Amino acid sequence: MKEVLSNNINKIEISGIRRFFNKVELVPEAVSLTLGQPDFSVPENIKKAMIDAVNENKTTYTSNAGIIELRKEITKYLKGFSIEYSPNEICLTIGGSEALMDVFAALLNTGDKVLIPTPAYPAYESCTNVLGGKPVFYNLKQDFSIDIDLLDNIIKTEKPKILVLSYPSNPTGAVLSKEIRNKLYEVVRNNDIVVVSDEIYSSICFENEYYSIAQYKDIKDKVILVSGFSKMFSMTGLRLGFVCAVDSYMKGIMKMHQYNVSCAPSIAQWGAYEGLRSCLSDVEAMKKEFMKRRDYVFNRLKAMGFEVNLPQGAFYIFPKIDIFKMNSEYFCERLLNEGKVAMVPGSAFGTGGEGYMRISYSYSMQQLKEGLDRLENYLKNKI
Ligand SMILES: Cc1ncc(COP(=O)(O)O)c(C=O)c1O
């Protein structure tokens, strides 16, 4: 039969994370530490605001950019991180996922290069490929920070149109330090490049200060910020994200957004509006709990002899597994089938993730303990 699917869609694969989930489902007795979904309920005030919105029939289309009330709250919230966008520079999207696709669609011509960290969340590469762009990768250092000289070199030789930054990081848990942010600023200022900064985990940063390339006013015309509420309010299924950009980008992003989805779900928007007004203490409480879990998982892994960095944000930890002399997919499959615990192979996050595995600590302490006990037993008895 004649090929019916487009060349661009044939260039991409179902994500390695999803492929691994499919295998996990075949082992129902396994403890899974794979999902990027916090185990907390949506804060009560958000639930109530959404129920009220339904009862008040706030169920119609909103403006394409989203309700002004929420965009104003986002402006205020970001200001707390020293990031300045007016409500007109914000568009509510269907999760961070739609925001990313809209931004890439608005910017990329066929063959345009996108500079992507590796390891990283897989959507950057797939969005680029499906739009006919060309991914170019930059390796991260051992601590998953950016090697600025390497980055500058690649920008000078490859001349990418977009640079993707992704901190706090899925899968590594690394955050952007002040020093690297300052150096990145110089690179961005001195090169002809647009930064797409995915900061969807910004509310889960264990450092006292938060650093972002979007904090510089004088390069605002070179930065697009992608973020959202999935992780912040533990509302992954409610599908609400946002993108912030100056008008010259927003004009294009808005066209893609309008024809793609018209607007983000109205009910979720009213929920997030209430969330920003009255649930930031719930977010703090979740963060405290994540820190406890992070310390527990980190200490257990260290005691088992893993080489592992202490995560500073998000809710993932990324230990090295190359000492077992198996590729990460094979190691995680054996761990799943024989050790009955599921962890995501690092290769699902690109070539830079090979030799690692991702553990999500967005699970209860009890589940983390059971999962890590199984890992420990497996390593003692089978390896
Ligand atoms: C780094 C990163 N960006 C974007 C997303 C997509 O977020 P959403 O579920 O809001 O579409 C995720 C989801 O896991 C993510 O980890």
Side-chain angles (χ1 to χ4, degrees), residues 95-97 100 121 124 166 170 198 200-201 230-231 239 316:
S97 306
L100 285 171
Y121 180 60
Y124 314 127
S166 189
N170 172 12
D198 179 353
I200 200 156
Y201 294 95
S230 297
K231 319 288 174 170
R239 312 303 303 129
Y316 308 104

Side-chain angles (χ1 to χ4, degrees), residues 3-14 101 126 129-132:
E3 182 58 80
V4 288
L5 298 177
S6 75
N7 294 338
N8 284 344
I9 210 77
N10 279 331
K11 270 195 238 159
I12 65 173
E13 299 281 343
I14 293 294
M101 185 56 102
S126 301
N129 276 326
V130 87
L131 292 161

Side-chain angles (χ1 to χ4, degrees), residues 303-353:
M304 287 179 222
F306 281 99
E307 198 180 316
V308 59
N309 290 321
L310 181 70
Q312 302 295 346
F315 40 67
Y316 308 104
I317 190 163
F318 207 53
K320 239 184 166 157
I321 54 167
D322 57 348
I323 47 165
F324 302 117
K325 307 268 179 265
M326 293 175 231
N327 73 43
S328 60
E329 176 104 23
Y330 183 61
F331 177 81
C332 289
E333 257 193 80
R334 282 191 58 185
L335 185 59
L336 169 65
N337 292 319
E338 300 166 32
K340 308 294 180 209
V341 56
M343 297 170 175
V344 183
S347 57
F349 304 92
T351 50

Side-chain angles (χ1 to χ4, degrees), residues 65-281:
I67 58 173
I68 186 68
E69 291 87 343
L70 175 54
R71 286 185 284 133
K72 281 184 179 165
E73 284 301 322
I74 293 173
T75 294
K76 264 199 254 168
Y77 175 73
L78 290 177
K79 214 160 180 186
F81 292 94
S82 306
I83 296 174
E84 288 189 20
Y85 284 101
S86 71
N88 290 337
E89 294 172 324
I90 298 169
C91 174
L92 275 306
T93 55
I94 299 192
S97 306
E98 193 230 333
L100 285 171
M101 185 56 102
D102 289 353
V103 169
F104 281 71
L107 263 67
L108 287 182
N109 288 313
T110 306
D112 280 346
K113 292 179 182 168
V114 179
L115 191 46
I116 300 170
T118 183
Y121 180 60
Y124 314 127
E125 180 180 352
S126 301
C127 287
T128 303
N129 276 326
V130 87
L131 292 161
K134 188 172 181 308
V136 178
F137 297 97
Y138 62 100
N139 283 309
L140 299 171
K141 292 206 232 179
Q142 282 290 317
D143 62 356
F144 308 119
S145 67
I146 297 172
D147 181 335
I148 293 287
D149 291 337
L150 173 82
L151 188 79
D152 199 38
N153 227 324
I154 302 179
I155 291 175
K156 295 235 155 38
T157 51
E158 295 282 348
K159 304 201 182 328
K161 183 168 191 178
I162 295 177
L163 164 64
V164 175
L165 298 180
S166 189
Y167 288 110
S169 159
N170 172 12
T172 68
V175 302
L176 190 62
S177 69
K178 183 177 184 181
E179 188 199 348
I180 304 281
R181 182 208 57 173
N182 294 353
K183 288 182 178 166
L184 268 173
Y185 163 71
E186 297 297 334
V187 173
V188 176
R189 203 176 54 142
N190 296 329
N191 287 283
D192 187 14
I193 199 155
V194 183
V195 177
V196 175
S197 189
D198 179 353
E199 302 183 24
I200 200 156
Y201 294 95
S202 61
S203 64
I204 312 167
C205 178
F206 309 133
E207 301 279 273
N208 287 331
E209 295 289 325
Y210 185 74
Y211 299 106
S212 158
I213 195 72
Q215 289 163 334
Y216 293 99
K217 319 284 172 279
D218 62 324
I219 53 165
K220 197 171 161 182
D221 61 346
K222 290 181 149 190
V223 175
I224 298 175
L225 175 68
V226 167
S227 192
F229 300 105
S230 297
K231 319 288 174 170
M232 179 181 186
F233 292 136
S234 189
M235 51 186 263
T236 51
L238 293 164
R239 312 303 303 129
L240 195 63
F242 61 89
V243 51
C244 303
V246 295
D247 186 56
S248 46
Y249 299 126
M250 193 50 94
K251 274 197 301 222
I253 293 167
M254 207 51 119
K255 287 185 203 167
M256 187 63 197
H257 172 68
Q258 185 196 336
Y259 286 114
N260 203 8
V261 302
S262 288
C263 64
S266 59
I267 302 301
Q269 291 188 52
W270 286 109
Y273 168 60
E274 186 54 37
L276 285 178
R277 282 165 19 118
S278 71
C279 301
L280 295 183
S281 54

